[in-house]
Amino acid sequence: MRYSTLPSSAKQLIGRAVFAGLSLIVLSSTTNAGQATQTTAPDEEPGKEWTEVDLQLPAAPKTENLVNFYKSDSQSFAIDKLSLSVASDKTIRYTMVSTSNAGAKNISYEAIRCETYEHKLYAFGRSDGSWSNSRLNRWDRITNTGANKQHHILFTEYFCEGTTVAGKAPFLLSRLQGKGSPFIGR
């Protein structure tokens, strides 16, 4: 039976059903869009501004506590497993040791913020085991270009799932050590 030959009451019912179906689709897509753009974590109060917790520098890293996670053409990167923590402000803090192919080492204490795809450099390690605070006190956008992709690798493969922290520090460490599964041990 063709639509044009239907009685007007049947046409009205079909029209209402089509309208109701389209309304549900529109309502569903706007609801999901609101969820996708949520900027406040579920356990935080809406409108509450993010506050960074105070800095506490860890002990200097020891070679036996380093976990390698990435090697570029010119450097290798490792995290001191004893320094890895997830702070109450949902930043992941760690000591990174970068070693050039020629053997030069750079030690830095840093953080990654999953919610904003940013990293921050807090301090540089000195050869005597002390720290020198970074002059830059800002969060910088992580990049995935050039020779320094280490922060992007930490963000995408080990520490974050989208804009949330992937788990507690022991789980993140197990991921770094190649033991973690995204479905267990959080």
Side-chain angles (χ1 to χ4, degrees):
M1 183 178 265
R2 295 182 60 160
Y3 181 79
S4 61
T5 61
L6 290 174
S8 63
S9 60
K11 288 179 184 178
Q12 286 177 340
L13 282 174
I14 291 171
R16 287 182 189 149
V18 168
F19 178 76
L22 290 173
S23 297
L24 285 174
I25 291 170
V26 169
L27 179 62
S28 173
S29 66
T30 59
T31 300
N32 288 338
Q35 290 173 349
T37 59
Q38 181 178 359
T39 58
T40 307
D43 58 341
E44 293 179 5
E45 297 174 31
K48 185 178 177 183
E49 219 171 290
W50 178 79
T51 304
E52 187 174 0
V53 298
D54 291 336
L55 174 64
Q56 293 182 356
L57 294 170
K62 294 181 180 176
T63 304
E64 63 266 19
N65 296 325
L66 297 180
V67 179
N68 293 311
F69 71 91
Y70 174 64
K71 181 163 179 43
S72 71
D73 292 338
S74 59
Q75 301 182 78
S76 62
F77 298 91
I79 298 291
D80 173 22
K81 65 182 178 181
L82 298 182
S83 70
L84 182 62
S85 67
V86 178
S88 61
D89 62 5
K90 296 187 176 51
T91 58
I92 302 151
R93 299 177 181 205
Y94 54 88
T95 300
M96 183 183 302
V97 178
S98 309
T99 307
S100 73
N101 290 345
K105 289 189 185 217
N106 287 312
I107 299 170
S108 54
Y109 188 64
E110 308 180 355
I112 285 182
R113 189 168 175 218
C114 298
E115 185 178 4
T116 58
Y117 191 64
E118 293 176 310
H119 72 96
K120 186 174 188 177
L121 176 62
Y122 290 113
F124 296 99
R126 295 183 180 134
S127 59
D128 66 359
S130 65
W131 293 99
S132 171
N133 287 336
S134 172
R135 291 182 198 167
L136 300 176
N137 188 24
R138 68 173 189 241
W139 288 91
D140 291 318
R141 191 96 173 133
I142 294 172
T143 62
N144 187 23
T145 58
N148 294 320
K149 296 180 183 182
Q150 66 273 20
H151 300 107
H152 176 75
I153 298 293
L154 287 172
F155 183 96
T156 58
E157 295 184 24
Y158 301 106
F159 292 166
C160 305
E161 289 181 3
T163 58
T164 60
V165 177
K168 295 178 182 172
F171 176 72
L172 301 180
L173 178 58
S174 70
R175 279 182 142 183
L176 278 170
Q177 294 172 324
K179 301 174 191 169
S181 162
F183 305 107
I184 60 171
R186 294 177 187 214

